[in-house]
Amino acid sequence: MKVLGIDVSGRHDVYGKFLRLYAGILAEISADRVIHVEKIEVYYSESSTQTPKDIIKEVKELMGKIKGNYDYIVCEKGEFFKIPKEHVSSLLGKEVIHPKTLGELELVNIAHHVSYSCRKLLLRELELNNLESK
C-alpha cells in the first residue's frame, strides 16, 4: 500500500517569524514496516502567522510537489492543531489518519527526521547569515 507520511517542524517563533519545514515521504508500507521509500519532498514556509488555515494551505502545496498516487496520508495527531481528521481529510481531498501500525509509525518517524534535520540546517544557515551581516 502506498502512503504519504507528513511531518511539520517549526511551530516556534524565530526572529519574529514562523519558519515551518514540511516533509512528505511517499512510501510503500506494510503493517509492520516501511518497504520502500519512493519519494521525499520538502516544503519551506516563512510566515508571521500560524493558523490551521496556514498549515492546510502549505500541506496542499507539499502534496502538489509529491505528484504521486497514494491511498492516504498519515501524520501525528497534533499536526493540524487537533482538528478532527475527518475535517482535515475533506479540506485536503485525501483521507488523513493517525498512525496505528508499526509501518505507519515508522513512516511518520522518517518524515519527522527529514523535517527536523532540514529545519536545523535552515536555522544554522540563517544564523551564519545574521553573523555575516553584522
Side-chain angles (χ1 to χ4, degrees):
M1 174 172 303
K2 276 196 194 171
V3 178
L4 177 60
I6 291 178
D7 187 75
V8 183
S9 288
R11 300 231 174 138
H12 310 289
D13 185 307
V14 177
Y15 306 119
K17 298 177 185 168
F18 295 100
L19 309 175
R20 291 184 292 272
L21 204 302
Y22 297 78
I25 312 296
L26 182 61
E28 182 182 346
I29 67 169
S30 66
D32 64 339
R33 68 186 181 97
V34 172
I35 297 168
H36 170 76
V37 172
E38 187 174 306
K39 194 173 199 180
I40 297 174
E41 286 288 347
V42 294
Y43 177 81
Y44 168 70
S45 170
E46 187 175 307
S47 174
S48 61
T49 63
Q50 180 156 258
T51 66
K53 187 176 180 179
D54 295 327
I55 304 300
I56 295 287
K57 177 183 158 283
E58 293 162 0
V59 166
K60 283 183 174 182
E61 293 286 332
L62 176 67
M63 291 169 67
K65 289 179 74 172
I66 296 289
K67 292 183 183 168
N69 292 325
Y70 47 92
D71 297 301
Y72 58 90
I73 296 169
V74 63
C75 63
E76 293 176 339
K77 214 173 209 178
E79 294 297 14
F80 297 98
F81 299 95
K82 298 192 180 184
I83 295 171
K85 61 186 177 188
E86 296 78 18
H87 186 64
V88 175
S89 296
S90 70
L91 292 170
L92 294 178
K94 201 65 147 171
E95 182 183 13
V96 174
I97 69 159
H98 305 303
K100 294 179 209 128
T101 68
L102 290 175
E104 291 167 350
L105 285 167
E106 185 178 355
L107 182 57
V108 168
N109 193 36
I110 293 168
H112 172 74
H113 284 293
V114 170
S115 69
Y116 183 73
S117 297
C118 289
R119 187 166 186 276
K120 278 177 51 177
L121 287 170
L122 172 69
L123 290 174
R124 187 178 310 151
E125 185 67 26
L126 288 172
E127 288 172 12
L128 290 173
N129 286 340
N130 283 339
L131 287 174
E132 287 177 0
S133 65
K134 290 181 180 182

